[in-house]
Amino acid sequence: VLSSLSAPTLTATAKASELPSTSAAADVRAMQVHDCYLVVETPDGVHIIDQHALHERIMYEQLRERILNKTAEVQRLLVPIPVELTPREVAIALDNTELLAELGLLVQEFGGNTVALSGIPTLIRRADPADLLKSVIDKIDSQDEKITRRDLLDSLLHMMSCKAAIQAGPRLSPE
């Protein structure tokens, strides 16, 4: 019956607090529908969850906690990734190296319109590092100058989590 439902019908989501605790994870009965939604049986009934939104929220919470506690792990790259930017983007990146480092993005001047990305946050391994850096720079550039550093960090964490979260389409393993 579930396989015949169309995607627009399956748009309800459950809050993380509504899901069974990890200690009860062995008792959870769940299935993936249209490689996009999770249908989870709970004592209260059935919850339909958007897998991308769930993964994004989990990543956001983990990143936020680690960055606020200054315990975010950074994967230093053996060979830095050269990222070609506009002159304005290079200036923004170099002016915000401290903020980028807080997010786990280690950037150095490389010359011309290029910066070298020498480290990335370990939690964001699914995202393309160059694309992620460009998106973060665009987000910094588009923010109102009156925004607080904490609000900017929060906005950047949301964007980074979205880019790194699983997308619709891949089949999930039972883990």
Side-chain angles (χ1 to χ4, degrees):
V1 174
L2 285 175
S3 62
S4 66
L5 295 175
S6 63
T9 307
L10 299 172
T11 56
T13 60
K15 296 177 186 167
S17 62
E18 295 173 349
L19 297 177
S21 68
T22 54
S23 62
D27 299 331
V28 173
R29 292 176 43 171
M31 63 184 266
Q32 186 178 21
V33 179
H34 295 297
D35 297 338
C36 186
Y37 301 96
L38 302 174
V39 179
V40 181
E41 181 182 354
T42 67
D44 299 326
V46 175
H47 293 280
I48 300 171
I49 306 164
D50 178 321
Q51 69 188 26
H52 172 77
L54 177 64
H55 191 226
E56 179 181 335
R57 181 59 186 239
I58 291 167
M59 292 191 70
Y60 167 78
E61 294 294 338
Q62 289 175 344
L63 265 173
R64 184 175 181 275
E65 181 181 334
R66 290 178 183 187
I67 286 176
L68 291 178
N69 293 331
K70 303 206 182 300
T71 59
E73 295 119 8
V74 175
Q75 173 66 52
R76 292 200 172 264
L77 304 175
L78 186 59
V79 178
I81 300 170
V83 182
E84 191 75 26
L85 303 169
T86 66
R88 179 176 173 77
E89 291 170 331
V90 169
I92 291 168
L94 296 177
D95 288 346
N96 289 282
T97 54
E98 197 174 293
L99 173 63
L100 293 172
E102 245 182 276
L103 295 169
L105 295 166
L106 305 181
V107 177
Q108 303 163 335
E109 190 170 6
F110 195 70
N113 290 337
T114 306
V115 295
L117 183 57
S118 61
I120 57 173
T122 57
L123 284 176
I124 308 291
R125 63 184 166 268
R126 287 184 186 270
D128 174 71
D131 182 48
L132 180 64
L133 177 62
K134 288 178 183 180
S135 296
V136 168
I137 291 169
D138 286 344
K139 191 77 163 173
I140 292 170
D141 189 32
S142 69
Q143 295 298 312
D144 183 7
E145 289 189 24
K146 297 176 186 172
I147 192 168
T148 67
R149 183 175 182 87
R150 188 171 181 118
D151 288 343
L152 176 60
L153 268 173
D154 194 55
S155 176
L156 292 170
L157 290 174
H158 277 288
M159 187 268 309
M160 290 171 65
S161 299
C162 182
K163 288 198 166 289
I166 56 171
Q167 304 297 317
R171 294 239 173 212
L172 300 178
S173 66
E175 296 85 45

